[in-house]
Amino acid sequence: MTTTTAPSRTPYAPPGPRRMHLAAHFPGVNNTTVWTGDRVGSQIDFASFEHLARTAERGRFDFFFLAEGLRLREHKGRIHDLDVMGRPEAITVLSALAAVTDRLGLAATVSATFNEPYELARRLSTLDHLSAGRAAWNVVTTSDAFTGENFRRGGFLDRADRYVRAAEFVATARALWDSWPSGGTARPVAHEGPHFSVRGEFTLPRSPQGHPVIIQAGDSAEGRDFAAATADVIFTRHSTLEAGREFYADVKGRLPAHGREADSLKIMPGVTFVLGDTAADAQERAATIRRQQVSPQNALVALEQVWGVDLSAYDPDGPLPDFDPVPDPELAQGRVRIGDPKAVADRWRALSEAKGLSIRETVIETTGRQSFVGTPAAVAEEMAAFVAARAADGFILVPHLTPGGLDDFVDRVVPLLQERGVFRTEYEGSTLRSHLGLPEPVRPAGKG
């Protein structure tokens, strides 16, 4: 395997207030989305993608982020009707967005399990050329047989092998992206590994930013190691100050073992927000949104995913079940598994008893909350404090509405961040790597 020469390392001490990075996540594949109301638009109409992307670019965001699902989720053997109905292929959507944006980065979530390095490297490189260096790949791993049923080798990948395959996949893609020397023609790539055999020539020269930016979202120990060795950005769920600082220190501390500087990897938690003219107004709006996100039906679905049995006879405004969970891996398909259902059930019951909460109120209390709630000034101050405390390098904002959920943030919070000097007022470069402050990848020796 060809090795690269590690760049010289310098102490991580940025001058002045720490600048934050911002990205926009298209709503849908999460429990933060509101599905009903006058402002709710289509999940598949290009106008929805365009509106959010243009808003993000108007706010000078680093990139636009598309999640992807290779199969619609199911609950009790039926497609879950409280989830996104329709998931377009990400790179196709982003290729269209490249024509209606100028500077905004374009990040596609693509599985390293159900794709091949040459084919995906070519698609991503094409997007990078079409967008003049704005492409990014969110590398995800997939090991469940439910998703695999849509593919010839359904469920073939053992969970223990998912990061082994992903690491080899990324390394092979990078070898393909590096195979054209400056001003020259393609050089043959020869790779033999446990998961892939590639022998041939890549069809595209090196892109304007060298390689597409690599994003990763794993939180396990092996996921953190994979990110420290491979990723440029981590999309994390650690959105509280204490959890964020612990995660930040842990992952940044793993970088020296891979010859990397602390600032070569950006940590960007996914966060939500609710704005109000006063603190009380914001809290009231947040409570209303949470009740929209967790309908009575959705509360029972969340409960069934923990208890593992049909609880449709239960009253969402009544008490939680008094029996322990009976885990059923077939009940909910296509979702992240509950780690320890009994521990979750015990925690929920204790909270319900202590606060006198119903099923629906307990689900509202324990599932995703708004990360930043307050006036625009308070939200700007708190976000800046997170970055200053090294709990994050920035944030991936997940609006609760499609497609206009980012509008208020860009209009009311971004100007305050700019006044504080913690966020750009204009793009300083043209590529996504320049937005993120990442150097162009070092060419392997002999690839000149």
Side-chain angles (χ1 to χ4, degrees):
M1 190 69 128
T2 306
T3 58
T4 61
T5 303
S8 61
R9 296 177 57 205
T10 57
Y12 178 57
R18 295 194 70 221
R19 299 278 295 272
M20 75 172 62
H21 298 280
L22 293 175
H25 186 292
F26 188 79
V29 288
N30 50 65
N31 64 356
T32 65
T33 303
V34 170
W35 297 104
T36 58
D38 295 339
R39 298 179 62 194
V40 175
S42 171
Q43 295 287 321
I44 59 175
D45 189 331
F46 181 70
S48 293
F49 298 107
E50 182 179 11
H51 181 101
L52 190 67
R54 286 185 182 274
T55 303
E57 187 163 76
R58 178 165 58 83
R60 305 299 187 262
F61 278 38
D62 291 55
F63 59 91
F64 173 94
F65 184 95
L66 268 181
E68 183 173 73
L70 296 175
R71 184 167 179 176
L72 293 177
R73 300 168 184 177
E74 293 183 7
H75 188 76
K76 294 190 288 191
R78 299 175 57 192
I79 292 176
H80 182 28
D81 60 359
L82 294 174
D83 200 355
V84 62
M85 296 301 290
R87 295 181 179 176
E89 194 278 320
I91 295 178
T92 303
V93 173
L94 296 178
S95 295
L97 288 177
V100 296
T101 56
D102 295 316
R103 299 293 183 91
L104 184 70
L106 304 167
T109 301
V110 187
S111 174
T113 302
F114 299 116
N115 287 279
E116 295 294 321
Y118 176 86
E119 185 268 344
L120 182 56
R122 187 166 180 250
R123 288 164 58 205
L124 287 166
S125 182
T126 299
L127 176 61
D128 216 23
H129 280 283
L130 288 175
S131 63
R134 296 186 280 135
W137 172 24
N138 178 39
V139 184
V140 295
T141 60
T142 317
S143 61
D144 64 285
F146 173 74
T147 300
E149 288 177 359
N150 276 340
F151 297 86
R152 179 174 59 85
R153 295 174 291 175
F156 78 98
L157 184 65
D158 187 85
R159 183 175 178 82
D161 292 334
R162 59 191 183 131
Y163 281 115
V164 175
R165 178 184 170 99
E168 185 181 344
F169 197 124
V170 174
T172 307
R174 283 176 165 160
L176 291 163
W177 292 329
D178 280 332
S179 64
W180 283 57
S182 298
T185 58
R187 293 176 176 175
V189 173
H191 170 83
E192 292 289 342
H195 289 276
F196 306 110
S197 176
V198 177
R199 290 185 177 275
E201 296 175 348
F202 199 50
T203 61
L204 289 167
R206 192 173 173 89
S207 69
Q209 62 174 346
H211 299 170
V213 168
I214 300 295
I215 305 172
Q216 199 268 336
D219 188 43
S220 63
E222 59 183 350
R224 295 183 187 199
D225 278 334
F226 175 71
T230 304
D232 300 305
V233 177
I234 297 183
F235 178 27
T236 172
R237 60 182 175 82
H238 296 280
S239 57
T240 66
L241 184 64
E242 182 179 350
R245 293 188 69 177
E246 183 281 327
F247 181 83
Y248 191 99
D250 177 78
V251 174
K252 297 278 187 174
R254 297 171 189 250
L255 293 171
H258 301 283
R260 302 183 64 188
E261 300 177 4
D263 207 29
S264 67
L265 176 63
K266 308 299 181 183
I267 296 178
M268 299 179 66
V271 300
T272 57
F273 62 91
V274 178
L275 304 177
D277 293 332
T278 65
D281 176 41
Q283 290 295 338
E284 183 178 345
R285 291 192 65 221
T288 299
I289 291 167
R290 287 301 293 137
R291 291 187 69 81
Q292 291 175 308
Q293 291 165 334
V294 184
S295 66
Q297 183 185 358
N298 216 359
L300 289 179
V301 168
L303 199 71
E304 289 173 342
Q305 289 170 356
V306 175
W307 261 262
V309 294
D310 186 338
L311 299 173
S312 57
Y314 274 68
D315 180 0
D317 295 321
L320 275 69
D322 58 5
F323 58 89
D324 287 339
V326 183
D328 179 3
E330 303 301 319
L331 184 79
Q333 298 277 23
R335 288 186 175 273
V336 176
R337 300 294 182 196
I338 300 295
D340 182 349
K342 185 178 185 306
V344 174
D346 289 344
R347 188 166 64 251
W348 284 19
R349 283 189 295 223
L351 177 67
S352 175
E353 292 171 6
K355 293 189 174 184
L357 303 178
S358 67
I359 289 172
R360 186 182 182 194
E361 290 167 337
T362 301
V363 174
I364 288 173
E365 184 83 7
T366 55
T367 58
R369 302 181 186 179
Q370 285 80 17
S371 308
F372 298 105
V373 179
T375 64
V379 168
E381 181 178 0
E382 189 175 6
M383 292 178 74
F386 265 66
V387 174
R390 285 176 169 73
D393 292 311
F395 306 95
I396 298 177
L397 299 180
V398 187
H400 69 276
L401 289 174
T402 305
L406 195 64
D407 295 5
D408 284 350
F409 186 93
V410 168
D411 291 337
R412 305 179 68 189
V413 178
V414 167
L416 299 178
L417 295 172
Q418 292 169 334
E419 288 176 9
R420 286 175 170 270
V422 298
F423 191 64
R424 68 172 65 89
T425 56
E426 294 294 341
Y427 288 111
E428 289 125 13
S430 60
T431 69
L432 178 53
R433 287 188 178 276
S434 68
H435 304 342
L436 291 165
L438 298 170
E440 184 176 322
V442 177
R443 285 180 179 273
K447 297 291 184 182

